[in-house]
Amino acid sequence: MRPVSRWIIYLTLVVALLCHLFPWGGRGIILRPVFMFVVLLYWLLRSPHLCNIGTAWFAGLLVDLATGSLLGQHALSFTLAAFVGVSYQRRLVLFNAWHLMGYVFLIFLLERVLLLLLKLFAGNENPGWHFFLPILTGILLWQSMIFVFGTITRPKSR
Amino acid sequence: MLKGVHQKLEPQQSPAFFVRGASPFSRMMLYSALSIVMMAADARWNYLSTVRQAFIGALHPLEMLANAPSNWVRDTKKYFTAHNQLVQENYLLKQQAFEHQVMLQRLSTIQAENIHLRSLLNGNLPIQPKAILGEISHTGRDPFSNVVVVNRGSSHGIKPGQAVVDSKGVIGQVTRVFPYSSEVTLVIDKQLSIPIQIERNQLRAIAFGEGNNTLDIPYLPANVDIRVGDKLVTSGIDGIYPAGLAVATVTKIQQNPESPFAKIISTPVAEVTNHLQLLLLELPEVKESEIKPHEPEAKETAAKAVEKAPAKQKDKKTHASR
């Protein structure tokens, strides 16, 4: 695992924001992954000295502004989920690919549950089970992130 | 130069086992507190609307960049539309225009007659709202909110509170205005209510959005004269929606023996998902302070309106002339 440049991280986060801004329409929108959180979690688990809970908070704020939801909603859910993610970050070296995927799945789930709770408290209607579909597409995006930028777990050869 | 920066930032080559800074817990507490304060500031006091507007304005170039591929696809599709399709469409549109012209001829005489009659009765003349044509740029970035974003904003003279309609009926109301775009909340949203009238018997009521593509008409007695298939049109008493626009059709009526009220469900007629074009109606000349789209008092006025409903024949005139 090579150390990464700070600029690569910011560039990918900007690309993720662009994906949020993309004019999504039709039925497929319920499948849309939370791009920002997937990219963020990857960098958070890989190099937490460059991308940490503060970055998560700021990224969440940008998503809030871009989606027009209550300011701080995504920021809070990203912050809390990133905290759980980063707390076990040092143990990830011992994980294999499947364990890692399960771990990431749980954190995505946590992010969704937190956001759902915040939305319900803010007075939105119950969105139903579709709300959790982005987790699955998020996992796919996660795997492609690993494919492009390299794995987080221990290399196979050792 | 960049390389030097990296070396300063990454004292170790190993992936951050020892460089951790403040503990994650304290960071989490700090940022959570910050976001909770922001949520409160946004939801309770609306302090941050200017921040949001400035951000959306600054984001406009990035948005254009994100929109570019789909616009490009749409334009090329338009270019390659088949010839016979265009001919067919042209034929249909001509036919439609002819029919509408015949109808319009009758409308102008009826309108003249109506104005004359109103002046005989010393009533106020009906308001003729102006409208701005807009296009839906996307159906909201949050798939679970009942919002569409339109490509007309404060630079085109859009104000919050304006009514939005399409060729079939009422879509909703402008709730947030940004420099180059504005956010339209659909009538099915929980926060929106709309004064309606049943076309068949002129019964006035207020419909509330329910989410899930339905409207609810609460506070009507169980024996109310509403049938499935009844058309709901705007009553015009709020001064925002002009009278007579189609809103919804009644799809379901449930009578619960335990409740004195009927549960009346209706679905909106406007086709937000099918069309791109819509009209933003200009607000009538009322004091700004009187128009507040998200008012919790709406429910109270609804209850009052229903209380008055039995005496509707008497006070109808006063309401219409308001």
Side-chain angles (χ1 to χ4, degrees):
Chain A
M1 195 160 68
R2 287 178 299 111
V4 282
S5 148
R6 178 172 286 252
W7 303 108
I8 294 269
I9 295 179
Y10 292 154
L11 188 73
T12 48
L13 286 175
V14 168
V15 169
L17 183 65
L18 259 179
C19 289
H20 275 284
L21 290 176
F22 192 77
W24 296 87
R27 306 245 92 203
I29 194 168
I30 53 167
L31 279 172
R32 184 189 59 177
V34 191
F35 295 101
M36 202 59 142
F37 191 66
V38 177
V39 173
L40 189 97
L41 192 69
Y42 178 82
W43 295 120
L44 189 81
L45 297 184
R46 179 162 164 180
S47 42
H49 56 301
L50 293 178
C51 171
N52 210 313
I53 294 170
T55 328
W57 177 76
F58 190 68
L61 210 59
L62 287 181
V63 173
D64 275 328
L65 284 165
T67 53
S69 51
L70 185 66
L71 212 57
Q73 233 171 36
H74 283 92
L76 184 57
S77 68
F78 280 20
T79 303
L80 294 176
F83 167 68
V84 175
V86 89
S87 326
Y88 294 98
Q89 184 262 337
R90 289 193 235 195
R91 287 171 220 184
L92 293 184
V93 193
L94 306 173
F95 281 18
N96 66 27
W98 290 104
H99 290 158
L100 184 70
M101 209 205 268
Y103 181 69
V104 165
F105 176 83
L106 286 180
I107 292 170
F108 285 166
L109 186 66
L110 178 70
E111 188 265 338
R112 288 274 98 181
V113 169
L114 285 168
L115 191 64
L116 182 62
L117 283 179
L118 287 172
K119 271 182 187 290
L120 291 180
F121 277 132
N124 295 40
E125 70 235 22
N126 189 1
W129 62 273
H130 297 294
F131 193 72
F132 293 97
L133 277 179
I135 299 176
L136 300 178
T137 44
I139 290 282
L140 287 180
L141 187 64
W142 170 267
Q143 288 302 321
S144 48
M145 278 295 280
I146 283 185
F147 183 73
V148 175
F149 292 103
T151 180
I152 292 173
T153 50
R154 180 178 44 176
K156 255 183 191 164
S157 54
R158 251 181 274 167
Chain B
M1 200 188 108
L2 276 180
K3 216 174 178 186
V5 174
H6 292 158
Q7 275 162 0
K8 222 191 284 170
L9 290 170
E10 291 176 286
Q12 279 95 10
Q13 281 299 303
S14 61
F17 260 73
F18 307 104
V19 210
R20 245 191 161 182
S23 87
F25 185 75
S26 59
R27 284 184 206 217
M28 186 269 286
M29 290 309 275
L30 171 71
Y31 289 114
S32 302
L34 258 178
S35 15
I36 288 168
V37 167
M38 290 192 92
M39 273 195 278
D42 195 27
R44 289 274 158 208
W45 307 301
N46 282 326
Y47 281 159
L48 301 167
S49 57
T50 43
V51 177
R52 197 190 287 271
Q53 276 181 13
F55 177 81
I56 298 281
L59 216 63
H60 192 242
L62 219 71
E63 227 165 28
M64 301 267 277
L65 188 71
N67 282 350
S70 68
N71 281 352
W72 191 69
V73 167
R74 210 169 68 193
D75 288 349
T76 38
K77 244 190 214 166
K78 233 189 250 171
Y79 185 79
F80 287 112
T81 316
H83 174 75
N84 58 348
Q85 200 181 333
L86 281 178
V87 169
Q88 210 173 16
E89 204 176 276
N90 195 11
Y91 174 75
L92 274 178
L93 286 175
K94 264 186 188 158
Q95 209 173 18
Q96 241 174 30
F98 180 73
E99 279 167 19
H100 288 167
Q101 254 167 4
V102 173
M103 271 150 80
L104 270 178
Q105 276 174 19
R106 280 182 52 223
L107 181 75
S108 58
T109 46
I110 286 170
Q111 237 169 11
E113 192 181 305
N114 191 18
I115 289 168
H116 181 65
L117 288 175
R118 270 178 191 263
S119 65
L120 282 181
L121 289 169
N122 286 330
N124 285 4
L125 294 180
I127 309 156
Q128 295 281 344
K130 286 183 218 155
I132 299 169
L133 186 71
E135 212 169 84
I136 295 176
S137 47
H138 57 87
T139 52
R141 304 231 161 77
D142 185 355
F144 303 101
S145 65
N146 303 308
V147 159
V148 292
V149 176
V150 179
N151 66 347
R152 290 283 178 272
S154 56
S155 61
H156 307 97
I158 304 292
K159 291 188 193 95
Q162 280 185 264
V164 181
V165 297
D166 74 357
S167 55
K168 290 279 166 69
V170 174
I171 287 180
Q173 212 174 353
V174 176
T175 42
R176 273 189 200 140
V177 178
F178 309 117
Y180 302 102
S181 59
S182 49
E183 208 178 88
V184 177
T185 306
L186 308 182
V187 279
I188 51 167
D189 192 84
K190 256 189 174 175
Q191 287 177 305
L192 226 57
S193 54
I194 178 167
I196 50 112
Q197 209 165 26
I198 289 150
E199 205 180 44
R200 185 168 51 82
N201 56 7
Q202 307 286 299
L203 175 73
R204 268 184 293 109
I206 293 189
F208 291 90
E210 266 208 324
N212 312 323
N213 206 23
T214 53
L215 287 158
D216 179 31
I217 312 170
Y219 315 124
L220 283 182
N223 59 352
V224 71
D225 181 19
I226 291 185
R227 299 176 205 148
V228 170
D230 272 353
K231 274 185 187 163
L232 308 178
V233 297
T234 49
S235 62
I237 58 169
D238 57 345
I240 290 171
Y241 298 101
L245 296 172
V247 179
T249 39
V250 177
T251 46
K252 206 171 165 189
I253 300 171
Q254 288 171 348
Q255 259 127 359
N256 187 356
E258 283 167 19
S259 157
F261 301 116
K263 173 105 177 136
I264 300 157
I265 306 284
S266 48
T267 46
V269 291
E271 296 175 326
V272 184
T273 45
N274 296 7
H275 301 301
L276 279 177
Q277 274 85 15
L278 40 74
L279 281 179
L280 298 115
L281 304 181
E282 224 157 76
L283 287 175
E285 298 289 316
V286 202
K287 277 178 215 153
E288 278 271 284
S289 56
E290 287 173 26
I291 305 157
K292 278 173 190 163
H294 284 309
E295 200 72 333
E297 286 161 29
K299 293 221 172 178
E300 283 166 38
T301 44
K304 273 182 209 159
V306 170
E307 274 167 32
K308 280 186 200 163
K312 68 172 194 296
Q313 290 305 333
K314 260 181 268 170
D315 65 358
K316 196 179 163 193
K317 224 172 262 168
T318 51
H319 265 297
S321 58
R322 232 204 285 172

